[in-house]
Amino acid sequence: MEPSQTVEDESQPSIATVTRRIQRLSLHLIPLPPLQRSPQLDMLTCAKANKQEVDVASLSSYMRGMHREIQEKIFYFFNSRPDLQTPTEISMKEHRELCLRQLLGLVREAKIKPFRYVVEDPAKYFAISEAVGSIDISLGIKFGVQYSLWGGSVLNLGTKKHRDKYFDGIDNLDYLGCFAMTELHHGSNVQGLQTVATFDPITDEFIIDTPNDGAIKWWIGNAAVHGKFATVFARLVLPTHDSKGVSDMGVHAFIVPIRDLKTHQPLPGIEINDCGHKIGLNGVDNGALRFRSVRIPRDNLLNRFGDVTRDGKYTSSLPTINKRFAATLGELVGGRVGLAHSSVGILKIAVTIAVRYSLLRQQFGPPKQPEVSILDYQSQQHKLMPMLASTYAFHFATQYLVEKYSEMKKTHDEQLVGDVHALSAGLKSYVTSFTAKSLSTCREACGGHGYAAVNRFGTLRNDHDIFQTFEGDNTVLLQQVAADLLKQYKDKFQGGALSVTWNYLRESMNTYLSQPNPVTARWESEDHLRDPKFQLDAFRYRTSRLLQSVAARLQKHTKTLGSFGAWNRCLNHLLTLAESHIESVILAKFIEAVQNCPDASSQAALKLLCDLYALDRIWKDIGTYRNVDYVAPNKAKAINKLTQYLSFQVRNIAGEVIDAFDLPPYILRAPIAMQSEAYSQYTQLVGF
């Protein structure tokens, strides 16, 4: 306002102000004259002109592998049974009963018997698990509790007598069971569990006790309503004749009946309470268990790694508590493998819904021309295309994990056991965290329609969220990966052999950590940037540099803070190291999958997705590469420009690429993801 202007002047708009407002309002009614074409639209037109041809059937066959038939059998069964389909609105009580009926229908009507595959053919088991989780994630978790956790603990921690006694009942669902590890005060720290199993040599029994409220078994799936047995993890205590009176042999697993097989009432000494309504997975009946001097036969100790004789003597082939504990948890790693695998399945569903919607939905466009698909906008591509590429990357990485796990179960090779343990921890953590974030991004990418419950994002997001916590908190698991990397780093300098996944560290300390080549740091050509060697070298250089630097920091801080304090001081650095290593593994497996693909059109599509995954990750961490001059400024700009162009290219085959997931309509069942009948179905849902 000019100094001479009065308040009265301000309340009376000038003629110039009124004229300007009229001109602005008229713009809403009269289109602007055509503008110069933007570089973005020119790039889009160019990309569309060079669209790749994709043989969807060949790509789908390569993706789905040998267990496609059993997955389709599961989809067909549930599609043919509307009474077993989960409605959008359902109470917790109804959902729990439906989930049980779904599981019973799968096993007893569809004749899908997965239990034997837990050990015999893990790849087939995980394929069944992925399909079941696609029906309803609650069903997938209940399925996993029954067969992977309760059943898996009997198979993997028990011996022949346990398998003979319980196998058929677990297989046919007569023996619904629980996996009672987590306590109110202890989750990730399993060695800190407080539940006690004291041996009574007079009666030849173990007495299971919950010594305090903090030791109540908590969040136990199948416990609140349906479970009849539980694998209970407790400290094995033996009476001794010395001054201590007892000897604590560490955490062991015991089979404890919790309900009467005929009346289904809790057995004497066992208190069962319901954990109640949760954020998600309300089809799973999580409960809390307290034990008050519950007696079980000595034979109920799952005694593969440690046993107690009739006269109360402890025997084990493993000499220490820590070795027995590691062996026990090592046999339970299948749960992490399954969660990583299932998380990718959920990500496929969410990405397919979001991409389909983005292809169908049209908003705005050039003047006097039709509206354009919202996937033609760079911002939408930036949200979804790298995510789609990552989904493919995770598919091949978890496929590799399942293969290594299957090999481990057959060979019991000690080095492979350690490798699978660290790899499963890293992939479970990385993939489930990525999927959790992506579910929110997919919802946002679908605008207001993404907020409708019928379009699935809310349920998928809420049900999947806990994947980041159970079977190992993601932050804790990444620390296990970092610890293993540091161990490999130390062994390398002591002449030890490196395990398979860490082989690249052998040369990394020499090649990768030498001064960046000033010539290659400036190469900007598309051929160079899309060269798998450049991409993998960049990922591995970052990991190796992080490993070397955090090792030096830990050594420095340990002198003043001690080992625990030093670890805590460097914790964020360690987590970044673990994520970087897992990304290197993911990219390596993706590159292998591209190279091994037999169909030319499928290979070209996978190469495009792989390049986008690699360059998008490099660009997201470009500061790291710039700080050490691994990438010169102009090369960084070239990476950014090429990443955008690859997103355009992937957009043009996005429909074919998501179709290769081969998800049937019943699994997607989101109206916004359907084709021609989409909005007629959608409007009918709200009463039109």
mmCIF file of all heavy atoms in Angstrom, residues 129-130 137 336-350 391 394-395 398 427-436 439 464-465 467-468 474:
data_model
loop_
_atom_site.group_PDB
_atom_site.id
_atom_site.type_symbol
_atom_site.label_atom_id
_atom_site.label_comp_id
_atom_site.label_asym_id
_atom_site.label_seq_id
_atom_site.Cartn_x
_atom_site.Cartn_y
_atom_site.Cartn_z
ATOM 1 N N SER A 129 2.206 -70.275 0.396
ATOM 2 C CA SER A 129 2.040 -69.220 1.395
ATOM 3 C C SER A 129 1.757 -67.873 0.736
ATOM 4 O O SER A 129 0.901 -67.109 1.201
ATOM 5 C CB SER A 129 3.299 -69.136 2.261
ATOM 6 O OG SER A 129 3.207 -68.094 3.196
ATOM 7 N N GLU A 130 2.471 -67.570 -0.355
ATOM 8 C CA GLU A 130 2.244 -66.303 -1.059
ATOM 9 C C GLU A 130 0.821 -66.234 -1.604
ATOM 10 O O GLU A 130 0.141 -65.208 -1.484
ATOM 11 C CB GLU A 130 3.244 -66.143 -2.207
ATOM 12 C CG GLU A 130 3.062 -64.844 -2.983
ATOM 13 C CD GLU A 130 3.958 -64.731 -4.205
ATOM 14 O OE1 GLU A 130 4.696 -65.695 -4.505
ATOM 15 O OE2 GLU A 130 3.903 -63.689 -4.880
ATOM 16 N N ILE A 137 -4.474 -61.454 4.064
ATOM 17 C CA ILE A 137 -3.197 -61.508 4.788
ATOM 18 C C ILE A 137 -3.380 -62.180 6.143
ATOM 19 O O ILE A 137 -2.487 -62.897 6.622
ATOM 20 C CB ILE A 137 -2.578 -60.100 4.932
ATOM 21 C CG1 ILE A 137 -2.350 -59.478 3.554
ATOM 22 C CG2 ILE A 137 -1.252 -60.170 5.676
ATOM 23 C CD1 ILE A 137 -1.799 -58.065 3.580
ATOM 24 N N ARG A 336 11.427 -65.793 8.604
ATOM 25 C CA ARG A 336 11.888 -64.549 7.963
ATOM 26 C C ARG A 336 11.879 -64.680 6.448
ATOM 27 O O ARG A 336 11.527 -63.740 5.732
ATOM 28 C CB ARG A 336 13.298 -64.210 8.451
ATOM 29 C CG ARG A 336 13.350 -63.829 9.912
ATOM 30 C CD ARG A 336 14.789 -63.644 10.370
ATOM 31 N NE ARG A 336 14.830 -63.428 11.807
ATOM 32 C CZ ARG A 336 15.942 -63.475 12.533
ATOM 33 N NH1 ARG A 336 17.094 -63.730 11.936
ATOM 34 N NH2 ARG A 336 15.908 -63.260 13.835
ATOM 35 N N VAL A 337 12.287 -65.843 5.981
ATOM 36 C CA VAL A 337 12.260 -66.088 4.533
ATOM 37 C C VAL A 337 10.832 -65.938 4.021
ATOM 38 O O VAL A 337 10.578 -65.271 3.008
ATOM 39 C CB VAL A 337 12.801 -67.499 4.205
ATOM 40 C CG1 VAL A 337 12.699 -67.774 2.708
ATOM 41 C CG2 VAL A 337 14.246 -67.651 4.682
ATOM 42 N N GLY A 338 9.888 -66.528 4.749
ATOM 43 C CA GLY A 338 8.490 -66.465 4.344
ATOM 44 C C GLY A 338 7.938 -65.056 4.356
ATOM 45 O O GLY A 338 7.177 -64.661 3.457
ATOM 46 N N LEU A 339 8.310 -64.259 5.361
ATOM 47 C CA LEU A 339 7.808 -62.889 5.427
ATOM 48 C C LEU A 339 8.348 -62.032 4.290
ATOM 49 O O LEU A 339 7.609 -61.231 3.706
ATOM 50 C CB LEU A 339 8.185 -62.252 6.768
ATOM 51 C CG LEU A 339 7.307 -62.615 7.965
ATOM 52 C CD1 LEU A 339 7.753 -61.839 9.188
ATOM 53 C CD2 LEU A 339 5.843 -62.318 7.677
ATOM 54 N N ALA A 340 9.627 -62.169 3.969
ATOM 55 C CA ALA A 340 10.196 -61.419 2.847
ATOM 56 C C ALA A 340 9.481 -61.791 1.557
ATOM 57 O O ALA A 340 9.104 -60.928 0.754
ATOM 58 C CB ALA A 340 11.696 -61.696 2.734
ATOM 59 N N HIS A 341 9.276 -63.087 1.363
ATOM 60 C CA HIS A 341 8.615 -63.591 0.158
ATOM 61 C C HIS A 341 7.176 -63.086 0.076
ATOM 62 O O HIS A 341 6.717 -62.613 -0.975
ATOM 63 C CB HIS A 341 8.649 -65.119 0.191
ATOM 64 C CG HIS A 341 8.356 -65.776 -1.113
ATOM 65 N ND1 HIS A 341 7.114 -66.290 -1.415
ATOM 66 C CD2 HIS A 341 9.123 -65.996 -2.208
ATOM 67 C CE1 HIS A 341 7.133 -66.800 -2.633
ATOM 68 N NE2 HIS A 341 8.338 -66.646 -3.127
ATOM 69 N N SER A 342 6.445 -63.155 1.182
ATOM 70 C CA SER A 342 5.046 -62.705 1.203
ATOM 71 C C SER A 342 4.934 -61.197 1.031
ATOM 72 O O SER A 342 3.980 -60.708 0.413
ATOM 73 C CB SER A 342 4.387 -63.122 2.523
ATOM 74 O OG SER A 342 4.319 -64.528 2.625
ATOM 75 N N SER A 343 5.886 -60.463 1.584
ATOM 76 C CA SER A 343 5.861 -59.000 1.453
ATOM 77 C C SER A 343 5.957 -58.580 -0.004
ATOM 78 O O SER A 343 5.302 -57.625 -0.438
ATOM 79 C CB SER A 343 7.004 -58.381 2.273
ATOM 80 O OG SER A 343 6.930 -56.974 2.252
ATOM 81 N N VAL A 344 6.761 -59.292 -0.776
ATOM 82 C CA VAL A 344 6.860 -58.996 -2.212
ATOM 83 C C VAL A 344 5.514 -59.267 -2.882
ATOM 84 O O VAL A 344 5.072 -58.504 -3.757
ATOM 85 C CB VAL A 344 7.970 -59.832 -2.882
ATOM 86 C CG1 VAL A 344 8.012 -59.566 -4.381
ATOM 87 C CG2 VAL A 344 9.325 -59.509 -2.260
ATOM 88 N N GLY A 345 4.836 -60.344 -2.469
ATOM 89 C CA GLY A 345 3.517 -60.642 -3.026
ATOM 90 C C GLY A 345 2.524 -59.525 -2.766
ATOM 91 O O GLY A 345 1.720 -59.162 -3.638
ATOM 92 N N ILE A 346 2.555 -58.949 -1.569
ATOM 93 C CA ILE A 346 1.668 -57.833 -1.225
ATOM 94 C C ILE A 346 2.035 -56.596 -2.034
ATOM 95 O O ILE A 346 1.156 -55.863 -2.513
ATOM 96 C CB ILE A 346 1.752 -57.558 0.291
ATOM 97 C CG1 ILE A 346 1.184 -58.751 1.061
ATOM 98 C CG2 ILE A 346 1.019 -56.274 0.663
ATOM 99 C CD1 ILE A 346 1.525 -58.762 2.537
ATOM 100 N N LEU A 347 3.327 -56.365 -2.211
ATOM 101 C CA LEU A 347 3.774 -55.227 -3.012
ATOM 102 C C LEU A 347 3.301 -55.355 -4.457
ATOM 103 O O LEU A 347 2.889 -54.364 -5.082
ATOM 104 C CB LEU A 347 5.305 -55.130 -2.950
ATOM 105 C CG LEU A 347 5.961 -53.960 -3.683
ATOM 106 C CD1 LEU A 347 5.441 -52.623 -3.169
ATOM 107 C CD2 LEU A 347 7.484 -54.024 -3.540
ATOM 108 N N LYS A 348 3.315 -56.560 -4.994
ATOM 109 C CA LYS A 348 2.823 -56.782 -6.364
ATOM 110 C C LYS A 348 1.362 -56.369 -6.496
ATOM 111 O O LYS A 348 0.968 -55.732 -7.480
ATOM 112 C CB LYS A 348 2.982 -58.253 -6.753
ATOM 113 C CG LYS A 348 4.400 -58.704 -6.999
ATOM 114 C CD LYS A 348 4.441 -60.220 -7.249
ATOM 115 C CE LYS A 348 5.859 -60.728 -7.378
ATOM 116 N NZ LYS A 348 5.910 -62.208 -7.504
ATOM 117 N N ILE A 349 0.552 -56.730 -5.515
ATOM 118 C CA ILE A 349 -0.869 -56.380 -5.546
ATOM 119 C C ILE A 349 -1.042 -54.862 -5.523
ATOM 120 O O ILE A 349 -1.782 -54.288 -6.338
ATOM 121 C CB ILE A 349 -1.612 -57.023 -4.358
ATOM 122 C CG1 ILE A 349 -1.615 -58.553 -4.495
ATOM 123 C CG2 ILE A 349 -3.048 -56.506 -4.260
ATOM 124 C CD1 ILE A 349 -2.137 -59.278 -3.263
ATOM 125 N N ALA A 350 -0.359 -54.191 -4.590
ATOM 126 C CA ALA A 350 -0.510 -52.741 -4.443
ATOM 127 C C ALA A 350 -0.027 -51.995 -5.686
ATOM 128 O O ALA A 350 -0.692 -51.066 -6.166
ATOM 129 C CB ALA A 350 0.262 -52.268 -3.208
ATOM 130 N N THR A 391 9.933 -53.832 -7.323
ATOM 131 C CA THR A 391 9.128 -55.033 -7.096
ATOM 132 C C THR A 391 9.729 -56.220 -7.839
ATOM 133 O O THR A 391 9.827 -57.328 -7.300
ATOM 134 C CB THR A 391 7.673 -54.799 -7.555
ATOM 135 O OG1 THR A 391 7.167 -53.627 -6.912
ATOM 136 C CG2 THR A 391 6.791 -55.991 -7.204
ATOM 137 N N PHE A 394 13.004 -57.207 -6.072
ATOM 138 C CA PHE A 394 12.763 -57.968 -4.840
ATOM 139 C C PHE A 394 12.278 -59.382 -5.160
ATOM 140 O O PHE A 394 12.576 -60.326 -4.420
ATOM 141 C CB PHE A 394 11.735 -57.258 -3.965
ATOM 142 C CG PHE A 394 12.134 -55.890 -3.501
ATOM 143 C CD1 PHE A 394 11.194 -54.993 -3.018
ATOM 144 C CD2 PHE A 394 13.456 -55.466 -3.558
ATOM 145 C CE1 PHE A 394 11.554 -53.730 -2.592
ATOM 146 C CE2 PHE A 394 13.831 -54.198 -3.139
ATOM 147 C CZ PHE A 394 12.868 -53.325 -2.652
ATOM 148 N N HIS A 395 11.504 -59.518 -6.233
ATOM 149 C CA HIS A 395 11.029 -60.850 -6.618
ATOM 150 C C HIS A 395 12.208 -61.794 -6.846
ATOM 151 O O HIS A 395 12.242 -62.900 -6.303
ATOM 152 C CB HIS A 395 10.191 -60.748 -7.894
ATOM 153 C CG HIS A 395 9.849 -62.074 -8.504
ATOM 154 N ND1 HIS A 395 8.746 -62.803 -8.139
ATOM 155 C CD2 HIS A 395 10.497 -62.833 -9.446
ATOM 156 C CE1 HIS A 395 8.714 -63.940 -8.820
ATOM 157 N NE2 HIS A 395 9.765 -63.976 -9.625
ATOM 158 N N THR A 398 14.282 -62.416 -3.460
ATOM 159 C CA THR A 398 13.660 -63.359 -2.523
ATOM 160 C C THR A 398 13.592 -64.760 -3.126
ATOM 161 O O THR A 398 13.646 -65.749 -2.394
ATOM 162 C CB THR A 398 12.255 -62.892 -2.103
ATOM 163 O OG1 THR A 398 11.456 -62.636 -3.264
ATOM 164 C CG2 THR A 398 12.337 -61.627 -1.261
ATOM 165 N N LEU A 427 17.103 -59.144 3.977
ATOM 166 C CA LEU A 427 16.027 -59.017 2.992
ATOM 167 C C LEU A 427 14.669 -58.841 3.670
ATOM 168 O O LEU A 427 13.838 -58.057 3.201
ATOM 169 C CB LEU A 427 15.999 -60.238 2.068
ATOM 170 C CG LEU A 427 17.024 -60.231 0.934
ATOM 171 C CD1 LEU A 427 17.020 -61.550 0.180
ATOM 172 C CD2 LEU A 427 16.765 -59.071 -0.030
ATOM 173 N N LYS A 428 14.431 -59.575 4.763
ATOM 174 C CA LYS A 428 13.165 -59.387 5.474
ATOM 175 C C LYS A 428 13.029 -57.941 5.915
ATOM 176 O O LYS A 428 11.984 -57.304 5.752
ATOM 177 C CB LYS A 428 13.102 -60.343 6.670
ATOM 178 C CG LYS A 428 11.793 -60.271 7.468
ATOM 179 C CD LYS A 428 11.865 -59.271 8.607
ATOM 180 C CE LYS A 428 10.588 -59.206 9.424
ATOM 181 N NZ LYS A 428 10.599 -58.180 10.478
ATOM 182 N N SER A 429 14.080 -57.388 6.502
ATOM 183 C CA SER A 429 14.045 -56.014 6.994
ATOM 184 C C SER A 429 13.871 -55.017 5.852
ATOM 185 O O SER A 429 12.986 -54.154 5.875
ATOM 186 C CB SER A 429 15.330 -55.708 7.768
ATOM 187 O OG SER A 429 15.356 -54.356 8.166
ATOM 188 N N TYR A 430 14.702 -55.149 4.828
ATOM 189 C CA TYR A 430 14.702 -54.160 3.744
ATOM 190 C C TYR A 430 13.401 -54.203 2.953
ATOM 191 O O TYR A 430 12.781 -53.169 2.673
ATOM 192 C CB TYR A 430 15.894 -54.416 2.809
ATOM 193 C CG TYR A 430 16.102 -53.320 1.795
ATOM 194 C CD1 TYR A 430 16.928 -52.235 2.083
ATOM 195 C CD2 TYR A 430 15.476 -53.354 0.560
ATOM 196 C CE1 TYR A 430 17.115 -51.221 1.160
ATOM 197 C CE2 TYR A 430 15.647 -52.344 -0.366
ATOM 198 C CZ TYR A 430 16.472 -51.281 -0.062
ATOM 199 O OH TYR A 430 16.641 -50.267 -0.974
ATOM 200 N N VAL A 431 12.963 -55.399 2.584
ATOM 201 C CA VAL A 431 11.780 -55.537 1.724
ATOM 202 C C VAL A 431 10.514 -55.123 2.461
ATOM 203 O O VAL A 431 9.672 -54.405 1.906
ATOM 204 C CB VAL A 431 11.661 -56.988 1.198
ATOM 205 C CG1 VAL A 431 10.317 -57.206 0.506
ATOM 206 C CG2 VAL A 431 12.802 -57.288 0.231
ATOM 207 N N THR A 432 10.353 -55.557 3.715
ATOM 208 C CA THR A 432 9.124 -55.208 4.431
ATOM 209 C C THR A 432 9.053 -53.709 4.723
ATOM 210 O O THR A 432 7.968 -53.120 4.670
ATOM 211 C CB THR A 432 8.986 -56.002 5.742
ATOM 212 O OG1 THR A 432 10.113 -55.767 6.588
ATOM 213 C CG2 THR A 432 8.865 -57.493 5.464
ATOM 214 N N SER A 433 10.187 -53.074 5.004
ATOM 215 C CA SER A 433 10.192 -51.620 5.210
ATOM 216 C C SER A 433 9.826 -50.893 3.922
ATOM 217 O O SER A 433 9.042 -49.936 3.928
ATOM 218 C CB SER A 433 11.565 -51.153 5.699
ATOM 219 O OG SER A 433 11.831 -51.630 6.997
ATOM 220 N N PHE A 434 10.383 -51.339 2.804
ATOM 221 C CA PHE A 434 10.086 -50.725 1.513
ATOM 222 C C PHE A 434 8.603 -50.893 1.173
ATOM 223 O O PHE A 434 7.938 -49.946 0.742
ATOM 224 C CB PHE A 434 10.949 -51.355 0.419
ATOM 225 C CG PHE A 434 10.775 -50.722 -0.937
ATOM 226 C CD1 PHE A 434 11.645 -49.731 -1.371
ATOM 227 C CD2 PHE A 434 9.746 -51.111 -1.781
ATOM 228 C CE1 PHE A 434 11.489 -49.140 -2.616
ATOM 229 C CE2 PHE A 434 9.577 -50.530 -3.031
ATOM 230 C CZ PHE A 434 10.453 -49.538 -3.454
ATOM 231 N N THR A 435 8.072 -52.098 1.380
ATOM 232 C CA THR A 435 6.666 -52.354 1.068
ATOM 233 C C THR A 435 5.751 -51.497 1.925
ATOM 234 O O THR A 435 4.752 -50.952 1.434
ATOM 235 C CB THR A 435 6.337 -53.841 1.255
ATOM 236 O OG1 THR A 435 7.125 -54.620 0.354
ATOM 237 C CG2 THR A 435 4.864 -54.127 0.986
ATOM 238 N N ALA A 436 6.071 -51.362 3.208
ATOM 239 C CA ALA A 436 5.243 -50.548 4.101
ATOM 240 C C ALA A 436 5.151 -49.107 3.602
ATOM 241 O O ALA A 436 4.066 -48.508 3.565
ATOM 242 C CB ALA A 436 5.805 -50.587 5.520
ATOM 243 N N LEU A 439 3.077 -48.926 0.224
ATOM 244 C CA LEU A 439 1.628 -49.047 0.349
ATOM 245 C C LEU A 439 0.988 -47.679 0.560
ATOM 246 O O LEU A 439 -0.072 -47.377 -0.007
ATOM 247 C CB LEU A 439 1.271 -49.997 1.492
ATOM 248 C CG LEU A 439 1.525 -51.479 1.203
ATOM 249 C CD1 LEU A 439 1.474 -52.296 2.488
ATOM 250 C CD2 LEU A 439 0.519 -52.008 0.201
ATOM 251 N N HIS A 464 -0.171 -55.412 6.681
ATOM 252 C CA HIS A 464 1.253 -55.635 6.418
ATOM 253 C C HIS A 464 2.147 -54.925 7.422
ATOM 254 O O HIS A 464 3.306 -55.321 7.618
ATOM 255 C CB HIS A 464 1.605 -55.152 4.995
ATOM 256 C CG HIS A 464 3.059 -55.256 4.666
ATOM 257 N ND1 HIS A 464 3.974 -54.262 4.992
ATOM 258 C CD2 HIS A 464 3.783 -56.237 4.061
ATOM 259 C CE1 HIS A 464 5.176 -54.624 4.593
ATOM 260 N NE2 HIS A 464 5.094 -55.811 4.037
ATOM 261 N N ASP A 465 1.663 -53.902 8.073
ATOM 262 C CA ASP A 465 2.511 -53.038 8.894
ATOM 263 C C ASP A 465 3.338 -53.820 9.912
ATOM 264 O O ASP A 465 4.521 -53.532 10.127
ATOM 265 C CB ASP A 465 1.644 -52.004 9.614
ATOM 266 C CG ASP A 465 2.465 -50.869 10.196
ATOM 267 O OD1 ASP A 465 3.127 -50.159 9.417
ATOM 268 O OD2 ASP A 465 2.462 -50.706 11.431
ATOM 269 N N PHE A 467 4.605 -56.640 9.670
ATOM 270 C CA PHE A 467 5.703 -57.396 9.050
ATOM 271 C C PHE A 467 7.056 -56.788 9.417
ATOM 272 O O PHE A 467 8.074 -57.471 9.396
ATOM 273 C CB PHE A 467 5.566 -57.407 7.529
ATOM 274 C CG PHE A 467 4.575 -58.409 6.992
ATOM 275 C CD1 PHE A 467 3.352 -58.622 7.597
ATOM 276 C CD2 PHE A 467 4.864 -59.142 5.850
ATOM 277 C CE1 PHE A 467 2.431 -59.537 7.098
ATOM 278 C CE2 PHE A 467 3.963 -60.072 5.332
ATOM 279 C CZ PHE A 467 2.746 -60.264 5.965
ATOM 280 N N GLN A 468 7.048 -55.498 9.746
ATOM 281 C CA GLN A 468 8.302 -54.823 10.104
ATOM 282 C C GLN A 468 8.769 -55.169 11.516
ATOM 283 O O GLN A 468 9.900 -54.847 11.887
ATOM 284 C CB GLN A 468 8.119 -53.302 10.000
ATOM 285 C CG GLN A 468 7.739 -52.827 8.608
ATOM 286 C CD GLN A 468 7.406 -51.357 8.597
ATOM 287 O OE1 GLN A 468 8.256 -50.515 8.331
ATOM 288 N NE2 GLN A 468 6.163 -51.035 8.897
ATOM 289 N N ASN A 474 12.906 -54.908 12.469
ATOM 290 C CA ASN A 474 13.756 -54.611 11.314
ATOM 291 C C ASN A 474 15.068 -53.930 11.686
ATOM 292 O O ASN A 474 16.111 -54.203 11.082
ATOM 293 C CB ASN A 474 12.984 -53.759 10.302
ATOM 294 C CG ASN A 474 12.005 -54.579 9.481
ATOM 295 O OD1 ASN A 474 11.926 -55.799 9.632
ATOM 296 N ND2 ASN A 474 11.256 -53.931 8.608
#
